[in-house]
Amino acid sequence: MDFLTLFLTKGQSDNLNPSHISLYLAIYHCWQQNNKTNPISISSTEIMKLSKINSRATYHKCLKDLHNKQYLNYSPSFNPFKSSQIQLVIPA
């Protein structure tokens, strides 16, 4: 099974809202565009645009939730000139 199938299966019991799903799908799309390599570098502006999330607070909450629920590993850069890193993981 692939990441997306496992995400959708596990997500049914984790009470994910549409923003979580949209964010994960945007990250998944970027992962595919980068030849399915882990980790990927992301720009919050690009991911927010792709996922249709307009609020930075919502973006960070959903990203933190996905990290805490072990759908992905998020390593923020805290540097505006350096991209953050995200690694997709197989949900347990």
Side-chain angles (χ1 to χ4, degrees):
M1 294 177 96
D2 70 342
F3 288 110
L4 189 55
T5 302
L6 293 168
F7 168 76
L8 293 172
T9 301
K10 185 175 187 279
Q12 290 177 345
S13 62
D14 277 348
N15 297 323
L16 299 180
N17 67 37
S19 295
H20 290 101
I21 295 166
S22 177
L23 179 59
Y24 188 89
L25 290 176
I27 293 168
Y28 182 83
H29 174 75
C30 291
W31 175 73
Q32 283 191 313
Q33 296 294 83
N34 285 291
N35 298 317
K36 299 181 180 181
T37 57
N38 270 324
I40 59 170
S41 298
I42 63 153
S43 160
S44 59
T45 306
E46 292 175 26
I47 294 291
M48 287 174 65
K49 185 177 179 181
L50 188 59
S51 65
K52 308 291 189 207
I53 295 175
N54 295 320
S55 164
R56 283 216 173 263
T58 300
Y59 167 77
H60 285 290
K61 180 193 179 307
C62 290
L63 194 54
K64 181 180 173 184
D65 290 346
L66 291 171
H67 175 80
N68 290 339
K69 292 181 181 188
Q70 300 177 343
Y71 289 100
L72 51 83
N73 289 326
Y74 171 59
S75 300
S77 70
F78 301 110
N79 180 339
F81 302 107
K82 186 178 176 191
S83 298
S84 297
Q85 300 286 306
I86 291 184
Q87 179 180 7
L88 292 182
V89 296
I90 296 174

